[in-house]
Amino acid sequence: MKNERNHIYTGLVAVCVMSLLLVSYMLFQHIRYKFKVINTAKSAVQAETDRIVTEIDTIFFDISSAVEKVAGDFDAGALNEQALTRGLEKISRANPYIIKNGVVWVPPAGEEPEAYKTVKQETWYRRAMIEGKGWDEPLFDETEKYYTAVFSIPLYKADTGKRPCGVMFVTVSLRGLGEKMDSLKLEQNDFGFIVSKKGTILYHPLGDMILRQANIFDVLKENQAGNKNYERQRQIFQKAVKGESGNGFNTARTGQSFWFFYRPIRSTGWSIVVSFIKEAVPINGTALRRQQIRIALGLIVFLTSLITLLFRLYVIHPHKTHRLWWIAGIFSFLCFIAAWYTWYLALAVPLNEYQQKKTVVDDPISLNKFLVTTSKSVQDLYGKEPTYVPAGIFIQSIEFATSNDITMSGYIWQRYIKGTQDKVPRGFLMPESKNINLMTEAYRFTTDKEEVIGWYFETTVRQAFDYSKYPFDHPNISIWLRHKDFIHNVILIPDLKAYPVMNANMLPGLQPRLAFPGYSITGTFFGYERRNNNTNFGLVSAKSGVRPQELFYNIIIKRKFITPLVSKFFPVFIVLAMLFIVVLSFSADPVKQRNFGLSGLAVFGLVISFFFSTLLTQIDLRQQLRSDSIIFIENFNFITYLVLLLSAIQTFLFAAERKIKFIQFEHCLIPKLLYWPVTTGLILIVSLLYFY
C-alpha cells in the first residue's frame, strides 16, 4: 500500500510540475503573440514611412541636384546664358513635377525694370541672393489649388566675384505628392500627411486641409477643448517640423491609442508624419481565444494535481471515502469554471474583430479612402464618376419581433448639393425591409449650398441570424441602405458631420439609453459590403448586376446571459441535481434502503418524468428560435438525456441478481463519484467543440 502511495505521489508531482511548466509556456506565448502582432504592424508602418520618405526625398534631391549641376557649369564658365537656359528647359521636360522655370538676371545699377522690381520682392529670390541655394517655404497657388515650392540658386560670373549675377529657379507642384502618399500601405484608419518647416499642411488625405491652407498647430488648437493630450501632441509636431526623426505615443479623445511616426525630408526640410492606430491592428481573435482556452485547460490539470498533493487527497483509507469526494468535487468545479470561461470568451469578442470583415467608414480619412477606391472602380466599370449622397440614420426604438424579424423606428436623412445634384431623385430604399409600416417626410430645409430631407420611418427588417451558439451568440443587426435611383450609380455615404463623435463605442446614430431588453449594445458603425447579384435586373447593360459596395449601418449587440440562464439552463440543472439525489439514495444497506431507498420501478418513473420535463424545455427552445442546426444550449438537454439513460441502466444493474463489482462497490460509490465529473466534463467538451 505504501509503495502504491509513493507511486501515486511521484506521478502527481510529475503531472503538477509538467502542467505548471506547460501553462507558463503557453501564457508566455500568449503575451508574446499579442506584442508580436502589435510590433509587427508597428514595424511595417515604420518601414512604409521610411520608404515613402526616401521616394519623396529622392524626387526633390534629383531636381535640386540637376539644377545645381547646370548652375555649377555656368559658374565655371562651361555654359553661356543660352546654354544655361537650354539646360534648365531640359531638366523641366524630364521632370513632370516642374511646372515653371526661369533665370532672373540682376540688371546694371540704376537700370531696374518694373518686372525685376516685382521679382526681387519674392521670398525665394531674396533668400537665394542672401542665403544661397535652397527650397523656399511652399505657397498656395490659387490657379493650381495646390501648394507649389520653388528651388532657387544664385548664379555667378567671373567678373562679378562673390556678388550673384542672377538667380535660377524651378517651381514644383506638390500635387504629385498625393499620388506618392496614397501608395502608403496602411490599415484603413491609418494615414500620413506632410508638413513644412512652419507647420503648413502640404498634403493631407482630406483635401479640405489643403484648400483652407491649414497649419497643423492651428488645427491642433481648434480641437484643444477636451483634448487632455494637447500638449503632448503639440510637442510631437514641434519635433517633426524641426526636422527630427522619431515617434510618439498618444491617446485620442475617443480613447483610441495611436502612434505618430515622423521623418524629415532632408532635401527640402519638410517632414512626413504617419498616424498609426493601435486598435486598428488586425489581430486573429480566434487564435487568441484558443490560446486562452488551452491555458485554462492546463490550469485545470495543474490545480487538480496541486490540491490533491497539498491536502494529501491521494491517501485513501478503507471505508473512508471523503477524500475521493473532494477530488471529484474539485475536478467538477474546475471543469465548470473552464466551460464558463469559454462562454465568457465567446461573449467578449472585441468590436474591431467585426469591423475587420467590413470596409468601415468612421472618419473623414476612411471616407476619403473609400471615395478614391470606389470612384476608380466605378469609372473603370461604367465610364463615369458615381454620384455621392451623404445620408444618416438615427434609431429611436428597436426590438426582435421574432427570431429573424427586427422592428425599428427612427429617422433617415439625405443631404444634396444644390446645383450639381438638383436632378438626382430624392429617397432611399431598405432592401431587406420586410414591410414598411410608416414612411413620412419629417422635415426639409435648404440653404444656398445644400438641401437636407429627413424621413421618419417604422419598419420590420428580416435577417438571417445564426443561433447555433445561443445563448452566447451575437445576433448583430445590419441595416442595408440604398439610394432610390437604381440605375445611375448614386451611392450613399455616411453623413459624418451630422454625428459629433463617430467612435463605434459611443454608439453614433442610436438613441441614448435605448430600451433593448435582453441585449446590450457594444457598438455601432457605418460600413460597406459587396452584395453580388446573379442577374442584371432586366437592364440592357450586362454590367448592371455588378454594383458598387452597399452602405450598411451596423449595430453590434451582445446577448445578456441572465434570461437564458434562468429560463433554459436552470431547469436542466435542477433536473440533474434531483437526479443526483436519487443516485445518492442507492445503497445495499437494508436500513438505508428502508429509510431513503427507492424501488427500481420508482426510479424508472422519476427518470421518465425528468425526461419529459427536459424534452418540453427543448421543444420550447426550438419553437422560439426556429434554427435549422443544433443549438449550443440544446446540448445540455442531450447531456441530461444521456445521464438519465445511464442512471436507468445503473438502477437496473444495481437491482439485478448478478452483482457487478463496479456497480456494487461501497453501495454504488463509483457511479456516485463519477456523476458530476462526467456531467461537467461533457459540458466542457461541448463548449470546446462550439467555441474553441
Side-chain angles (χ1 to χ4, degrees), residues 213-233:
Q213 305 174 43
N215 184 285
I216 188 62
F217 298 106
D218 294 336
V219 173
L220 198 60
K221 199 168 186 64
E222 289 171 5
N223 297 278
Q224 182 178 0
N227 185 3
K228 298 179 180 179
N229 299 288
Y230 166 77
E231 187 58 33
R232 184 186 297 178
Q233 292 178 3

Side-chain angles (χ1 to χ4, degrees), residues 196-454:
S196 71
K197 289 182 282 188
K198 294 183 178 180
T200 303
I201 298 176
L202 306 179
Y203 165 80
H204 197 282
L206 300 179
D208 181 61
M209 289 286 189
I210 299 170
L211 292 176
R212 66 188 180 100
Q213 305 174 43
N215 184 285
I216 188 62
F217 298 106
D218 294 336
V219 173
L220 198 60
K221 199 168 186 64
E222 289 171 5
N223 297 278
Q224 182 178 0
N227 185 3
K228 298 179 180 179
N229 299 288
Y230 166 77
E231 187 58 33
R232 184 186 297 178
Q233 292 178 3
R234 191 185 65 81
Q235 291 174 3
I236 291 173
F237 295 136
Q238 283 281 10
K239 292 179 181 179
V241 299
K242 288 179 181 178
E244 297 183 23
S245 178
N247 57 68
F249 184 76
N250 210 339
T251 305
R253 288 182 295 175
T254 58
Q256 289 180 314
S257 304
F258 56 93
W259 289 87
F260 283 120
F261 301 100
Y262 48 93
R263 301 286 188 274
I265 304 173
R266 301 197 181 279
S267 59
T268 61
W270 312 330
S271 294
I272 289 180
V273 183
V274 174
S275 172
F276 161 65
I277 299 178
K278 182 179 177 182
E279 285 80 3
V281 176
I283 297 179
N284 190 333
T286 301
L288 281 179
R289 283 193 294 276
R290 288 180 175 178
Q291 290 175 357
Q292 292 170 314
I293 289 172
R294 287 197 293 268
I295 292 171
L297 295 177
L299 282 173
I300 291 177
V301 178
F302 169 69
L303 291 175
T304 302
S305 57
L306 179 64
I307 293 172
T308 303
L309 284 170
L310 291 178
F311 294 96
R312 295 174 59 83
L313 300 179
Y314 59 91
V315 180
I316 308 299
H317 297 283
H319 308 295
K320 294 183 179 180
T321 60
H322 64 280
R323 295 191 177 186
L324 290 174
W325 282 107
W326 271 105
I327 295 174
I330 292 169
F331 180 79
S332 302
F333 175 75
L334 292 176
C335 282
F336 187 75
I337 292 298
W340 188 281
Y341 184 61
T342 62
W343 306 342
Y344 164 76
L345 292 178
L347 284 176
V349 178
L351 181 62
N352 63 354
E353 191 168 325
Y354 298 107
Q355 294 179 325
Q356 291 171 13
K357 303 173 184 178
K358 304 175 185 292
T359 303
V360 179
V361 174
D362 56 3
D363 60 19
I365 304 297
S366 56
L367 176 59
N368 182 72
K369 288 185 178 181
F370 170 78
L371 295 179
V372 171
T373 304
T374 304
S375 295
K376 185 178 184 305
S377 62
V378 173
Q379 180 76 27
D380 294 341
L381 193 62
Y382 294 98
K384 60 179 181 180
E385 288 276 338
T387 301
Y388 296 106
V389 175
I393 187 170
F394 184 73
I395 302 296
Q396 290 187 305
S397 68
I398 187 169
E399 66 174 337
F400 278 91
T402 67
S403 58
N404 292 100
D405 293 338
I406 310 106
T407 60
M408 63 185 72
S409 64
Y411 291 89
I412 290 178
W413 64 90
Q414 293 176 342
R415 193 184 301 272
Y416 294 89
I417 301 174
K418 294 193 72 175
T420 59
Q421 296 182 345
D422 290 345
K423 295 182 179 180
V424 178
R426 274 49 173 163
F428 66 93
L429 300 174
M430 302 176 75
E432 291 183 329
S433 179
K434 183 179 177 181
N435 55 66
I436 298 180
N437 303 320
L438 178 64
M439 177 70 69
T440 180
E441 184 175 314
Y443 57 88
R444 179 191 296 253
F445 68 90
T446 60
T447 64
D448 294 338
K449 296 182 178 180
E450 63 183 11
E451 177 186 27
V452 179
I453 308 172

